[in-house]
């Protein structure tokens, strides 16, 4: 018998809640080392520890072929010229790809090929999909003035590897220039 409670969920855009999923919250202090502008990071942290984003994940089953999904909500804001962003990760099971779909707001994704370091910036906005291939580090940023929400769907066995990014960070950063997101090399900030 199919258990519909486990198979159905509803996202509430007013509260940011996804039924049946406990949201994980990440605050500025959790993202030490992610922002390139350390002075701006320390100054912002000294002034408070704002919520940067929330992710609610649903894991209906863990078998081979199963899918997990989550809804992320990134607040609008900047540290220096860098947008509020997620930690970013590779999938622990490297071949796992992921499908992102924009729900509200204006954002960008930074995609970095693990083998070559080649980096791309992809727009993430309502009704736009972004396909993140396997072996690709991904980080999401809110480049707009309202909360950015999005859906991410990935293989159940994907897992998260935050360690590689924590060690070497992304090669590029995304900054706001004249109101537009621009990708530059980290050492050129
Ligand atoms: C999971 C998927 C997203 C992220 C979310 C937060 O594979 O990519 O649900 O977990 O965008 O990012 P992060 O880097 O903190 O997990
Ligand atoms: Zn992912």
């Amino acid at each position: 018998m199919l258990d519909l409670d486990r198979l159905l969920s509803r996202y509430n855009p007013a509260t940011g809640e996804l039924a049946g999923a406990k949201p994980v919250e990440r605050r500025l202090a959790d993202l030490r080392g992610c922002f390139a502008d350390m002075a701006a990071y320390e100054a912002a942290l000294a002034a408070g520890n704002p919520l940067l984003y929330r992710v609610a994940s649903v894991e209906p089953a863990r078998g081979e072929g199963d899918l997990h999904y989550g809804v992320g909500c990134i607040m609008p804001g900047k540290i220096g010229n860098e947008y509020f962003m997620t930690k970013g990760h590779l999938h622990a099971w490297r071949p796992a790809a992921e499908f992102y779909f924009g729900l509200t707001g204006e954002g960008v994704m930074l995609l970095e090929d693990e083998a070559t370091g080649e980096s791309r910036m992809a727009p993430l906005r309502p009704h736009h999909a972004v396909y993140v291939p396997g072996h690709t580090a991904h980080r999401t940023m809110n480049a707009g003035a309202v909360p950015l929400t999005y859906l991410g769907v990935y293989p159940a066995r994907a897992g998260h590897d935050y360690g590689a990014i924590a060690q070497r960070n992304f090669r590029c950063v995304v900054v706001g220039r004249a109101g537009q997101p621009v990708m530059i090399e980290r050492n050129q900030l």
Side-chain angles (χ1 to χ4, degrees):
M1 178 82 151
L2 290 175
D3 175 359
L4 281 185
D5 282 346
R6 205 161 53 82
L7 301 182
L8 305 181
S9 189
R10 181 176 183 278
Y11 176 64
N12 183 337
T15 62
E17 286 169 341
L18 185 60
K22 190 173 177 302
V24 171
E25 290 193 346
R26 301 276 186 218
R27 294 181 172 272
L28 189 58
D30 300 317
L31 270 80
R32 177 162 290 283
C34 294
F35 293 92
D37 186 342
M38 283 303 290
Y41 176 82
E42 296 298 352
L45 201 53
N49 186 20
L51 175 70
L52 297 194
Y53 64 99
R54 225 185 247 125
V55 192
S57 307
V58 180
E59 305 183 350
R62 295 179 173 274
E64 197 181 354
D66 280 316
L67 296 172
H68 289 175
Y69 62 96
V71 174
C73 176
I74 308 178
M75 304 305 150
K78 276 185 182 173
I79 300 299
N81 290 323
E82 298 167 87
Y83 299 109
F84 281 7
M85 62 172 85
T86 59
K87 285 179 123 175
H89 60 271
L90 284 146
H91 292 143
W93 181 49
R94 291 292 197 271
E98 182 162 357
F99 172 81
Y100 271 75
F101 194 72
L103 301 175
T104 67
E106 288 283 321
V108 287
M109 292 189 74
L110 181 58
L111 309 178
E112 181 179 304
D113 183 288
E114 186 179 24
T116 65
E118 189 194 351
S119 301
R120 302 293 294 270
M121 193 174 65
L124 183 63
R125 49 175 81 108
H127 306 167
H128 286 232
V130 178
Y131 183 81
V132 180
H135 304 273
T136 303
H138 43 292
R139 167 174 277 167
T140 310
M141 281 141 287
N142 185 342
V146 298
L148 170 76
T149 61
Y150 55 92
L151 168 73
V153 186
Y154 45 98
R157 64 179 282 202
H160 294 83
D161 175 2
Y162 293 103
I165 292 303
Q167 252 180 11
R168 61 169 169 75
N169 219 322
F170 283 74
R171 189 178 281 197
C172 291
V173 298
V174 176
V175 293
R177 287 199 178 149
Q180 292 303 314
V182 176
M183 185 177 78
I184 58 174
E185 296 275 333
R186 177 166 299 271
N187 56 18
Q188 305 207 320
L189 190 73

